Amino acid sequence: MKKINNWLLSGLLFLMVSTVFSQGKITGTITDGNGSLPGANVAIKGTKTAATADFDGKFSINATTSGELVISFIGYNAKTVVFSVSNGGTTNLGTIVLESDSNQLEEIVVIGKGVVDLAKERKTPIAVSTIRASEIQTKIGTMDITQTMVNTPSVYVAGQAGGFGDSRVTVRGFQQDNTAFLLNGQPINGMEDGKVYWSNWSGMGDIANAIQIQRGLGSSKLAISSVGGTVNFVTKATDMKEGGFLSSGFANDDYYKTTIAYNTGISKSGWGASFMISHWQGDGYNQGTRGEGQSYFLSVGYKANDKHNFNFLITGAPQAHDQNFSKRISDYLGFGRKYNNNYGYLNGQYVSERTNFYHKPVANFNWDYKINDKVDLSTVVYASWGRGGGTGNYGGSANKKYKSELNPYTGTTQTTYIDFDQIYANNQALAGGAGQSSNSYLIRSSMNNHEWYGVVSNLKTNITENLSLNLGLDLRTYKGTHYRQVADFVGLNNFTDVRRLRGENHQTQGSNVSQVVNQSLPPEPWNAFFQTIPQNQIIDYDYSETISYGGAFGQLEYSNDNFSAFFQGSVSNQNHQRFDRYDYLPQFEESEKVNNIGYNAKGGASYKVADNHSFYVNAGYYNRQPYHDNIYLNFTNEVNPLTSNEKILGFEAGYNFKSKNFNASLNAYRTSWKDRVASTSRTVTIAAGETIGSTTLAFGDLVYKSNLGVEQLHSGLELDFTYKILSSLDVRGFASVGNWEYKGNSITRETDDNQNLLSETLVDVDGGKVGDAAQTTWGLGAKYEFIKGFSIDADWRNYDKLYSNVGAVKNNLELPSYDLVDAGISYKLLVGKFKSNSVVFRVNINNVFDEVYLSELSSNIKVTDNISTSNASLGTYQSNNRVYKGIADGNQGYFGLGRTWNFSVRYNF
């Protein structure tokens, strides 16, 4: 027995010694061809042995036998390297170069991983499209960031003819106040009305790492309403490596833009910074739509250790742009598709009556905390400060003077451009240059200032290998202030503003109160941000509101190799109060407080049949609070008794196919939306004398229309695919067929530009078509690379079943269908010894064939309607041959942009 034990001991010692002497060390350096990749993961295939590259990309790992190393890094293709062990020695694999993977999604999120709700973070699928930075930079040109979304199913972009930044996005037929927009996990829809003004985000094309459009229920865990969908903007953060770029761009209508960006890379101590600044200006495609602005971005990051990652960023896009409002088709046919009557000349100098100007810095601080291997905490604290507004006329309508010209199309003389010389002379002729509403005209600014602070925090726990739980908070506080001030007296020395104060029960009381104003501030974004008009210089209105919001959310998801399921729920409370300092006696300026509780719940499951096929179903219910602007009646402190929480019920199902060269998705959806409050606006461009209710309107007046208690039902199918036919040829396509209708009855309310009620009626809207977006769209695109670095691409889109944007009506007007083709050429020239050093040239031509089309209408006149509502003997539009492509030429709207072009050159270093 003793001898056996000795043999066993000797064998064990021999084995241990053999193992020690046969163990070797594998070393190497990991780069991307330009610089090191610190933090890259190195693992021995088939084992749990792994290591991490240091700051210089160097790694060292022990191995006992020959085998394969799997080397990976976020945003790059994993690489497998064969190695052999040298007994007791070191095997140096040298420099290992990883190639960037443009198809990966992970590389776009470097901060806020727990609060940026990307589809890939949740394994249960949704209907989603992702647009990456390279495509954004290629396609955007001089357009709004919204233009990058046009090749997406069920997405329609309108309003581009209004001016720089005036576009609007609808998703599955729902306007953008009913689609959730997030910036690095931070909600950016307006707290008062849910709207997003893209002029405030003109720098997004330079700072976005990706845009992800989640149609329908989406993957957001927040207590927000994604009726149409959720659009996530993920910005750049502090980059890992040093570098930057310089770019310049030129385009039609004297547009040019210059941009410079630089990032320091992450130092050995964990600090880094990135910044970007740009300037742009142009005359605009339509007449009188000049614009100018800047954008800036600063990001400072600090990686304290493997557990804590911090990033602070601030970005903004101060801008001013003149605007074009909708007009009658007959005006465009007479004076050209670029016609705009919102401007004129004073002493030979251009003057616009309608200018949008704004500066909205947004700051957020992200903290990612890896508590342990199973628990992560992500938090973003954010703030935004908006200052600016829009200009327009103020004073008696009769005091606004126009030039008169012959309309070649109608053969009649009509008012056209604003005659500022005549207005100035009339104002100067007043005694002492003192004006008032009845005898003068000036340009006012409607100011919309706000302060917004919030925090979103999400705790993720991997309960088991297959089960994860998310819990979080969404807290916000908002204060908005609205008033009017004089932008240009147009020759006046002062102006007397008259008001009558309201008292108890919102009734006017006492005699008129007047004040004389003699100060003005020009419509400039930087000036508006740092300077405010004194209280005694405010005209027309002065009110504010506070909105507090608190939400809690949670999500539970189970997943294995073939099956996943989730349930998400949230609850929120909104508190509203309005303060009116202009129209109310001091003791009555505070409104009643209004509290509304809302909630949502959604769940779904998916099943992977094989490596290539998967199916999913999702369902969700939202009980959403009404927006602030719908709670108080006609911009008074009177609470609207007709508003209630809106009810949204959604179902969706889909099929996904994925292979090496071909990917496709087919989605079906049905969304019911009840008790909704919809607000739209239209410009009444008519001869003086039209009457709504008992009020007679003047030429160019604005009329706002609201529909209360509306129900909508949206259903449809969506298809999108990508196919890599050759290594040098990519093809993509999409199709969406929808049926979006109103149900039942609605209450229609119209108010004028000064918020006075004009009319209120009960309307049967059952079966009426939802407007402002094409319900059927088709698209096909391709990119072909002739030689390395030189490529051409083109996209074709067809839009059909597009109806007027007139809110809820039974017999809506259908616009003619149209096709658009966009094309571009890119050339990338490598310079220097690094792959990242390059010069990229890009040419875009949009609407290549100069298609003439109506992109949107804001009226519902039929060809069988009378030209004159007061004189039927003049006949109908049809009998007078006043029809354009089947549409009565009295309808108001916009023609789409004709052929446009832009050229850019970018130096990456």
Side-chain angles (χ1 to χ4, degrees):
M1 184 71 181
K2 184 176 180 181
K3 183 179 292 186
I4 294 175
N5 288 338
N6 288 336
W7 286 350
L8 291 174
L9 180 61
S10 299
L12 180 61
L13 289 173
F14 177 80
L15 180 62
M16 293 175 61
V17 171
S18 300
T19 300
V20 170
F21 281 100
S22 63
Q23 186 176 35
K25 182 179 293 185
I26 310 300
T27 63
T29 303
I30 305 171
T31 77
D32 64 354
N34 303 315
S36 62
L37 294 177
N41 185 66
V42 182
I44 298 178
K45 190 173 182 178
T47 74
K48 295 183 178 180
T49 305
T52 302
D54 63 15
F55 182 82
D56 297 316
K58 298 182 181 300
F59 71 90
S60 176
I61 189 169
N62 292 326
T64 58
T65 60
S66 300
E68 294 178 332
L69 288 183
V70 178
I71 301 169
S72 60
F73 189 72
I74 291 176
Y76 293 80
N77 291 315
K79 191 167 189 176
T80 301
V81 179
V82 177
F83 70 88
S84 59
V85 173
S86 175
N87 291 340
T90 299
T91 301
N92 189 342
L93 299 179
T95 299
I96 301 169
V97 180
L98 298 186
E99 295 183 357
S100 176
D101 180 5
S102 60
N103 292 320
Q104 282 196 21
L105 188 60
E106 292 93 337
E107 81 269 19
I108 68 174
V109 183
V110 294
I111 57 172
K113 291 181 180 294
V115 294
V116 181
D117 284 316
L118 295 175
K120 194 173 183 67
E121 299 303 314
R122 195 185 72 196
K123 296 183 179 180
T124 307
I126 56 173
V128 63
S129 300
T130 301
I131 307 166
R132 291 172 176 78
S134 58
E135 185 176 355
I136 296 170
Q137 294 163 9
T138 298
K139 297 287 188 179
I140 190 169
T142 62
M143 302 292 187
D144 297 343
I145 189 68
T146 56
Q147 185 65 21
T148 62
M149 308 180 201
V150 296
N151 294 307
T152 305
S154 296
V155 173
Y156 188 77
V157 179
Q160 296 160 297
F164 292 109
D166 282 350
S167 63
R168 305 186 315 281
V169 178
T170 61
V171 180
R172 288 185 174 173
F174 298 105
Q175 296 182 347
Q176 58 191 29
D177 54 334
N178 299 298
T179 296
F181 294 90
L182 303 175
L183 175 69
N184 292 341
Q186 164 191 340
I188 62 174
N189 293 76
M191 289 283 284
E192 301 167 37
D193 55 14
K195 295 180 180 178
V196 178
Y197 298 93
W198 298 108
S199 55
N200 298 331
W201 307 99
S202 61
M204 188 63 72
D206 296 311
I207 67 173
N209 256 346
I211 304 170
Q212 189 177 85
I213 306 160
Q214 302 173 5
R215 303 182 299 278
L217 296 172
S219 64
S220 176
K221 298 181 287 291
L222 300 184
I224 56 177
S225 172
S226 52
V227 184
T230 303
V231 179
N232 286 278
F233 294 97
V234 183
T235 69
K236 299 178 186 297
T238 307
D239 287 351
M240 189 73 72
K241 298 173 295 179
E242 183 182 8
F245 71 88
L246 298 168
S247 70
S248 291
F250 306 88
N252 52 277
D253 300 294
D254 293 326
Y255 178 94
Y256 75 86
K257 177 180 179 180
T258 56
T259 306
I260 180 172
Y262 175 70
N263 59 79
T264 64
I266 300 295
S267 68
K268 291 185 177 181
S269 60
W271 286 93
S274 300
F275 77 88
M276 184 277 300
I277 55 174
S278 71
H279 173 85
W280 65 270
Q281 66 184 61
D283 290 342
Y285 180 81
N286 287 87
Q287 299 171 3
T289 55
R290 298 180 181 181
E292 180 177 352
Q294 299 79 39
S295 60
Y296 56 86
F297 170 82
L298 172 66
S299 175
V300 179
Y302 175 54
K303 185 174 178 61
N305 48 48
D306 291 337
K307 288 184 175 292
H308 299 279
N309 192 15
F310 304 93
N311 199 94
F312 169 80
L313 70 83
I314 184 168
T315 184
Q319 60 79 39
H321 71 277
D322 300 335
Q323 296 179 291
N324 174 36
F325 291 157
S326 62
K327 280 169 285 296
R328 295 171 301 193
I329 296 173
S330 60
D331 294 335
Y332 292 116
L333 296 179
F335 301 108
R337 284 184 288 150
K338 295 186 176 185
Y339 172 61
N340 179 16
N341 61 349
N342 287 338
Y343 75 101
Y345 293 87
L346 177 60
N347 295 324
Q349 299 296 313
Y350 167 88
V351 178
S352 175
E353 183 188 70
R354 296 285 182 170
T355 300
N356 174 281
F357 61 103
Y358 217 77
H359 186 185
K360 180 186 172 74
V362 176
N364 62 50
F365 177 77
N366 280 269
W367 173 34
D368 290 328
Y369 176 26
K370 187 173 183 60
I371 298 174
N372 55 47
D373 290 340
K374 293 185 176 181
V375 184
D376 296 280
L377 176 67
S378 290
T379 303
V380 57
V381 180
Y382 62 87
S384 70
W385 308 268
R387 301 289 186 272
T391 66
N393 61 296
Y394 193 67
S397 298
N399 303 315
K400 181 177 178 179
K401 303 300 179 183
Y402 286 90
K403 293 182 179 296
S404 296
E405 297 183 31
L406 177 68
N407 185 325
Y409 170 74
T410 62
T412 60
T413 299
Q414 68 179 69
T415 55
T416 53
Y417 306 97
I418 302 173
D419 191 347
F420 283 108
D421 288 325
Q422 186 61 57
I423 293 171
Y424 187 90
N426 292 347
N427 284 345
Q428 285 274 288
L430 297 174
Q436 52 186 309
S437 180
S438 62
N439 65 3
S440 62
Y441 164 100
L442 55 79
I443 298 176
R444 51 77 184 164
S445 292
S446 298
M447 305 298 292
N448 296 290
N449 302 338
H450 77 253
E451 298 175 1
W452 186 353
Y453 304 94
V455 58
V456 178
S457 187
N458 178 67
L459 180 73
K460 180 179 180 180
T461 302
N462 293 317
I463 300 173
T464 67
E465 183 179 352
N466 302 111
L467 187 65
S468 65
L469 174 66
N470 286 269
L471 296 172
L473 293 174
D474 176 12
L475 307 176
R476 313 174 213 168
T477 179
Y478 175 94
K479 180 180 180 181
T481 304
H482 315 272
Y483 56 88
R484 280 181 170 175
Q485 64 191 31
V486 178
D488 190 339
F489 281 103
V490 197
L492 293 174
N493 293 325
N494 58 66
F495 184 88
T496 300
D497 197 48
V498 181
R499 55 185 165 144
R500 195 168 188 180
L501 299 178
R502 299 174 187 264
E504 192 172 7
N505 297 323
H506 317 287
Q507 301 300 312
T508 56
Q509 292 186 355
S511 58
N512 291 342
V513 177
S514 64
Q515 66 182 27
V516 178
V517 298
N518 56 14
Q519 297 183 36
S520 64
L521 287 176
E524 298 172 355
W526 287 101
N527 186 58
F529 192 79
F530 292 105
Q531 186 177 0
T532 56
I533 203 81
Q535 186 77 23
N536 63 1
Q537 296 295 305
I538 289 175
I539 60 173
D540 200 28
Y541 58 77
D542 178 18
Y543 66 91
S544 59
E545 69 279 322
T546 59
I547 306 172
S548 299
Y549 178 100
F553 57 86
Q555 177 177 285
L556 186 68
E557 183 174 34
Y558 172 84
S559 64
N560 58 33
D561 291 339
N562 297 316
F563 175 78
S564 69
F566 82 99
F567 175 79
Q568 181 271 332
S570 64
V571 63
S572 64
N573 179 70
Q574 291 184 2
N575 176 274
H576 302 260
Q577 189 170 20
R578 190 177 186 275
F579 307 86
D580 198 318
R581 295 167 292 276
Y582 188 90
D583 286 329
Y584 284 81
L585 293 168
Q587 63 270 35
F588 299 109
E589 72 175 39
E590 295 187 10
S591 76
E592 173 188 346
K593 290 184 178 180
V594 176
N595 276 287
N596 289 310
I597 295 177
Y599 60 89
N600 69 50
K602 56 187 177 182
S606 71
Y607 183 67
K608 189 175 181 181
V609 179
D611 290 340
N612 304 110
H613 308 274
S614 63
F615 298 86
Y616 76 90
V617 290
N618 295 324
Y621 179 78
Y622 290 88
N623 188 282
R624 189 185 81 169
Q625 306 97 320
Y627 285 121
H628 178 90
D629 283 357
N630 294 321
I631 291 175
Y632 297 98
L633 276 171
N634 301 322
F635 295 92
T636 70
N637 286 353
E638 185 178 359
V639 176
N640 188 346
L642 297 177
T643 59
S644 61
N645 279 16
E646 302 171 7
K647 288 82 174 177
I648 301 105
L649 179 63
F651 298 96
E652 55 191 29
Y655 162 72
N656 296 306
F657 175 84
K658 292 185 178 181
S659 66
K660 182 178 180 181
N661 296 321
F662 181 78
N663 296 328
S665 297
L666 178 65
N667 305 287
Y669 64 91
R670 183 186 187 276
T671 304
S672 170
W673 188 6
K674 296 182 178 180
D675 297 331
R676 65 156 299 193
V677 178
S679 295
T680 60
S681 65
R682 65 184 180 95
T683 307
V684 180
T685 309
I686 55 171
E690 180 175 317
T691 299
I692 296 181
S694 60
T695 303
T696 300
L697 302 174
F699 178 79
D701 280 354
L702 290 175
V703 173
Y704 296 90
K705 178 183 290 185
S706 298
N707 302 110
L708 307 178
V710 179
E711 179 184 351
Q712 290 180 215
L713 181 62
H714 294 223
S715 58
L717 292 172
E718 300 166 337
L719 170 70
D720 63 302
F721 69 87
T722 60
Y723 182 25
K724 194 170 187 65
I725 299 176
L726 304 170
S727 60
S728 58
L729 177 61
D730 296 320
V731 175
R732 57 190 176 272
F734 71 91
S736 57
V737 179
N739 183 36
W740 311 330
E741 294 183 341
Y742 294 102
K743 297 295 181 181
N745 299 323
S746 75
I747 297 173
T748 299
R749 179 180 289 134
E750 292 181 298
T751 61
D752 64 16
D753 196 26
N754 292 312
Q755 302 144 13
N756 298 309
L757 182 64
L758 300 175
S759 69
E760 184 174 284
T761 56
L762 181 67
V763 181
D764 174 17
V765 300
D766 192 56
K769 297 295 185 179
V770 176
D772 202 34
Q775 300 198 16
T776 299
T777 58
W778 306 84
L780 190 64
K783 178 182 178 181
Y784 182 70
E785 189 172 32
F786 292 94
I787 58 174
K788 186 70 174 178
F790 179 66
S791 65
I792 184 170
D793 56 86
D795 292 285
W796 161 81
R797 299 182 299 278
N798 173 266
Y799 298 96
D800 196 12
K801 303 299 180 184
L802 171 63
Y803 297 88
S804 287
N805 181 24
V806 290
V809 296
K810 190 174 183 67
N811 297 305
N812 204 350
L813 181 65
E814 184 177 351
L815 282 65
S817 62
Y818 63 93
D819 299 87
L820 294 177
V821 175
D822 302 332
I825 300 175
S826 296
Y827 178 60
K828 183 177 182 179
L829 176 66
L830 298 180
V831 295
K833 60 180 181 179
F834 297 123
K835 289 183 179 180
S836 60
N837 290 4
S838 61
V839 179
V840 180
F841 302 90
R842 175 70 182 182
V843 176
N844 283 312
I845 302 177
N846 295 319
N847 193 0
V848 173
F849 298 107
D850 201 21
E851 174 93 350
V852 179
Y853 64 100
L854 293 166
S855 62
E856 56 183 305
L857 291 180
S858 55
S859 59
N860 191 30
I861 302 172
K862 306 298 193 299
V863 294
T864 54
D865 290 344
N866 289 324
I867 288 180
S868 172
T869 56
S870 59
N871 187 358
S873 65
L874 294 179
T876 65
Y877 286 92
Q878 194 170 52
S879 65
N880 283 273
N881 198 28
R882 294 279 299 275
V883 178
Y884 174 79
K885 292 187 176 181
I887 304 295
D889 66 15
N891 281 289
Q892 301 172 67
Y894 296 98
F895 277 90
L897 303 187
R899 184 187 298 115
T900 60
W901 63 269
N902 61 80
F903 168 78
S904 63
V905 57
R906 175 181 172 124
Y907 170 57
N908 300 302
F909 60 90

